[in-house]
Amino acid sequence: MMDAQERVRARFKKTYYVNYGLIFIVLFLLVFGLIMLLSTSSYEANLKFGNAWYYFKRQTISTAAGLLVMLVVSFWPNYKIYKKVTILAYGGACAAPFLVKTPLAYSANGATRWIKLFGISIQPAEISKMLMIIFLAGFVSQLGKQVSTRRGFSITLIMSLVPAFLIYSLTRNLSSALIVICIAIAMLFVSCPDYKRFILLGGGAACVAALAIYYAVSSSASSADGLNFRFRRILAWIHPEQFASSTSHQTIQALYAIGSGGLFGKGLGESMQKLGFLPEAQNDMIFSIICEELGLFGAIAIMIMFMLLVWRLKLVADSATDMFGALLVIGVLAHVSIQVILNIAVVTNSIPNTGITLPFISYGGSAVVMQLVEIGIALNVSRISSAEYA
């Protein structure tokens, strides 16, 4: 009788295994993000909407919805079923950007990157990112060793460029397009033993960046006003003081916030830059307010939490029982780490301003929901893998 009970208990434990470490880190980031969002956005929300809790309430609803979806996805369906819809995922990733050309689309801050469905704002680019992770995991795992060949590598990379191009051309969202490409390269990197290709890709990207910088600098000698706004951002990155009242205003204010925070910060809620000096502080630049209010100590602490998240995802990928599951988690890991690195680099003016949010912390409903869906997929891989190992 006891043996039967033990078997039932063991089967239940295997079936409903929970990766508490991963969940704790994600919940910590979400709660911390909501606290910082309230602190950062209350002044602007009160001015715009007469309600200091406006952004906080909307983000809380999105976070709650995302957690619910994450919970469902972590238990159902089995992640292996996604491999059967690889082509559908790719079609969805390519089709999603076209939604901004439908009557559902609306513009904000001079860009048309969102749609409104049942009163909910959704950014199609976020949907494309998640679907591309599913597609690339399925496609690369189906190719197997063929992905290491020149043909397999090239086809995978070219197929990744298509949705990236659509995101850029239809939504003018260069940062999301670059993230899709970077996710693809990261997933190829762990699948291909030949690192020479990645050195060539890195060298090519560096050459393109150098040419863009050279063109922006040389063209500015005659007139900076005639440059494309992306090249003006490059100039503002190189000489922020020359564009302090226009292109680089947000960056300079963010640097003021970081510099004034010191070692331990001014204290939660005590930021000065959020009082109208730093535009849209709750979005891309929330890390600068973290630095101002919590100081270098708070900034390092949150970076450590992100590193722990990446480490936990790596452990899940290492424990996956098949290549498809491992690549799914690698895609999620790549997405999170790329956005964290690029966001912090933008805020500290290490790279030109690209409008990339900080995962789980910046304001953005569709972004946090999609990120939690991806975490749900990683939890699903963790649960199934632990059951199969047991």
Side-chain angles (χ1 to χ4, degrees):
M1 182 67 178
M2 288 299 293
D3 289 342
Q5 289 179 348
E6 288 295 328
R7 284 198 298 269
V8 170
R9 190 178 294 111
R11 184 181 301 173
F12 181 86
K13 186 176 180 180
K14 288 188 292 184
T15 304
Y16 295 98
Y17 169 80
V18 178
N19 191 327
Y20 290 107
L22 180 56
I23 290 177
F24 171 78
I25 295 169
V26 171
L27 289 177
F28 177 90
L29 289 170
L30 289 171
V31 172
F32 177 82
L34 288 172
I35 293 171
M36 288 308 306
L37 178 67
L38 179 60
S39 173
T40 304
S41 66
S42 57
Y43 178 81
E44 183 178 333
N46 193 47
L47 285 180
K48 281 188 175 181
F49 307 102
N51 181 3
W53 298 77
Y54 178 82
Y55 292 111
F56 176 80
K57 287 180 178 178
R58 290 173 66 90
Q59 189 73 355
T60 300
I61 292 171
S62 298
T63 300
L67 285 171
L68 179 61
V69 177
M70 182 191 80
L71 180 64
V72 173
V73 170
S74 65
F75 285 99
W76 182 89
N78 186 312
Y79 74 87
K80 294 179 182 179
I81 200 172
Y82 299 132
K83 194 171 184 178
K84 299 178 181 179
V85 295
T86 298
I87 301 303
L88 287 176
Y90 185 70
C94 292
F98 285 97
L99 291 173
V100 300
K101 299 300 181 181
T102 68
L104 297 172
Y106 73 95
S107 301
N109 299 323
T112 307
R113 298 175 180 174
W114 299 265
I115 62 170
K116 187 159 285 189
L117 191 63
F118 304 115
I120 302 172
S121 295
I122 301 171
Q123 195 168 3
E126 296 298 330
I127 300 173
S128 292
K129 291 176 191 176
M130 186 198 68
L131 292 176
M132 279 302 294
I133 291 173
I134 295 174
F135 162 72
L136 287 166
F139 189 72
V140 172
S141 62
Q142 285 174 358
L143 283 177
K145 293 182 179 180
Q146 295 299 313
V147 75
S148 297
T149 65
R150 184 178 299 176
R151 183 172 180 272
F153 186 91
S154 301
I155 290 174
T156 306
L157 195 57
I158 291 170
M159 292 188 75
S160 302
L161 291 174
V162 174
F165 172 76
L166 291 172
I167 290 171
Y168 173 69
S169 60
L170 295 172
T171 68
R172 313 308 297 175
N173 191 343
L174 179 61
S175 58
S176 290
L178 290 175
I179 288 171
V180 168
I181 296 171
C182 289
I183 290 172
I185 292 174
M187 295 174 75
L188 281 169
F189 182 78
V190 300
S191 306
C192 299
D194 185 6
Y195 296 150
K196 294 178 183 177
R197 295 170 183 167
F198 300 98
I199 294 173
L200 290 174
L201 284 173
C207 289
V208 171
L211 287 173
I213 293 170
Y214 175 77
Y215 175 79
V217 172
S218 60
S219 298
S220 67
S222 55
S223 174
D225 295 333
L227 284 174
N228 177 282
F229 80 96
R230 299 195 189 281
F231 289 108
R232 287 201 299 273
R233 282 186 176 182
I234 293 174
L235 287 177
W237 167 59
I238 298 172
H239 302 293
E241 70 285 350
Q242 296 180 12
F243 299 85
S245 61
S246 55
T247 309
S248 61
H249 174 74
Q250 190 181 41
T251 300
I252 287 178
Q253 296 302 321
L255 292 174
Y256 286 156
I258 294 170
S260 63
L263 187 59
F264 294 105
K266 297 178 178 177
L268 187 63
E270 298 300 319
S271 166
M272 288 296 295
Q273 294 305 116
K274 69 185 181 184
L275 304 180
F277 298 102
L278 179 58
E280 303 288 337
Q282 69 276 4
N283 295 330
D284 318 343
M285 297 293 172
I286 196 168
F287 184 76
S288 65
I289 303 301
I290 293 173
C291 293
E292 184 179 9
E293 296 190 347
L294 304 181
L296 183 62
F297 176 81
I300 291 175
I302 202 64
M303 285 191 284
I304 289 173
M305 290 305 296
F306 277 117
M307 285 189 283
L308 287 174
L309 175 60
V310 169
W311 174 66
R312 292 297 303 190
L313 288 170
K314 179 186 177 297
L315 291 181
V316 175
D318 289 341
S319 66
T321 56
D322 63 337
M323 187 177 182
F324 176 66
L327 285 172
L328 276 176
V329 182
I330 289 297
V332 176
L333 183 156
H335 184 194
V336 172
S337 56
I338 289 166
Q339 285 211 195
V340 170
I341 292 169
L342 292 180
N343 177 270
I344 294 176
V346 165
V347 172
T348 56
N349 201 37
S350 301
I351 62 173
N353 196 325
T354 56
I356 295 174
T357 58
L358 189 62
F360 308 109
I361 295 177
S362 292
Y363 178 71
S366 59
V368 75
V369 169
M370 290 297 107
Q371 288 155 9
L372 288 172
V373 169
E374 292 176 14
I375 295 296
I377 293 173
L379 289 169
N380 192 299
V381 174
S382 177
R383 182 178 64 83
I384 299 298
S385 299
S386 66
E388 291 182 355
Y389 271 126

